[in-house]
């Protein structure tokens, strides 16, 4: 297993801090994401579904869109997605469409409320099996910091 870099650990810690803060912000949900290009932060995002009345405004989707704008391209090949929660099926599909090949997250699907995943049978293993190119996922890192947000589905 490849080690998580110091920049990735820092970005995950920051995403967790932002998720905890977002939970206290009207209209936001306690989920946060970051897109890294190497050790450089390209974009961040928090869940804006209720703020924007848009079911696609997950933290990962917000960060992916902002990173594409920052680079002037939808191709995020070589970038890493960091999230406080394992990306859902929609976000996994979007990050693969963007060419992201490395995903690091805190809370895992197995330890959170079912509401965060619409297709229970469509898991990371299915995405790995269906993907024409390999990608890496590292989950459960510092999960205890955010699990209270996601265990009962309140976030």
């Amino acid at each position: 297993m490849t080690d998580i870099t110091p920049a990735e650990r820092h970005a995950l810690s920051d995403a967790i801090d932002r998720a905890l803060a977002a939970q206290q912000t009207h209209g936001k949900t306690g989920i946060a994401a970051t897109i890294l290009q190497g050790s450089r932060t390209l974009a961040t995002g928090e869940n804006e579904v209720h703020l924007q009345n848009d079911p696609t405004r997950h933290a990962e989707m917000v960060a992916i869109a902002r990173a594409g704008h920052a680079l002037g391209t939808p191709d995020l090949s070589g970038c890493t997605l960091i999230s406080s929660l394992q990306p859902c099926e929609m976000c996994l599909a979007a990050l693969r469409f963007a060419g992201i090949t490395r995903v690091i997250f805190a809370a895992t699907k197995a330890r959170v409320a079912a509401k965060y995943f619409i297709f229970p049978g469509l898991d990371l293993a299915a995405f790995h099996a269906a993907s024409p190119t390999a990608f890496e996922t590292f989950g459960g890192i510092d999960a205890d910091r955010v699990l209270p947000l996601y265990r009962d589905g309140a976030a």
Side-chain angles (χ1 to χ4, degrees), residues 10-22:
H10 181 270
L12 181 59
S13 180
D14 177 67
I16 291 169
D17 290 343
R18 288 185 294 109
L20 294 168

Side-chain angles (χ1 to χ4, degrees), residues 15-65:
I16 291 169
D17 290 343
R18 288 185 294 109
L20 294 168
Q23 180 63 21
Q24 303 303 316
T25 304
H26 176 71
K28 288 197 174 181
T29 302
I31 303 169
T34 300
I35 304 290
L36 294 179
Q37 186 179 50
S39 61
R40 179 178 80 137
T41 298
L42 286 179
T44 64
E46 290 82 37
N47 185 296
E48 298 178 353
V49 168
H50 298 290
L51 188 66
Q52 302 292 333
N53 296 314
D54 181 345
T56 69
R57 298 297 289 173
H58 290 197
E60 298 89 347
M61 301 292 274
V62 172
I64 289 168

Side-chain angles (χ1 to χ4, degrees), residues 43-146:
T44 64
E46 290 82 37
N47 185 296
E48 298 178 353
V49 168
H50 298 290
L51 188 66
Q52 302 292 333
N53 296 314
D54 181 345
T56 69
R57 298 297 289 173
H58 290 197
E60 298 89 347
M61 301 292 274
V62 172
I64 289 168
R66 289 177 180 167
H69 286 290
L71 292 177
T73 178
D75 183 1
L76 302 180
S77 297
C79 291
T80 299
L81 182 134
I82 308 285
S83 184
S84 60
L85 176 62
Q86 180 176 325
C88 73
E89 305 88 356
M90 174 181 68
C91 295
L92 280 169
L95 69 91
R96 295 304 295 137
F97 273 105
I100 293 171
T101 56
R102 191 167 167 89
V103 183
I104 299 166
F105 52 92
T108 61
K109 179 178 181 177
R111 297 182 71 191
V112 302
K115 83 168 206 169
Y116 297 107
F117 300 91
I118 300 300
F119 302 100
L122 191 55
D123 59 12
L124 281 175
F127 273 87
H128 281 284
S131 181
T133 58
F135 67 104
E136 299 177 297
T137 54
F138 305 93
I141 302 164
D142 292 335
D144 289 338
R145 288 187 58 206
V146 291

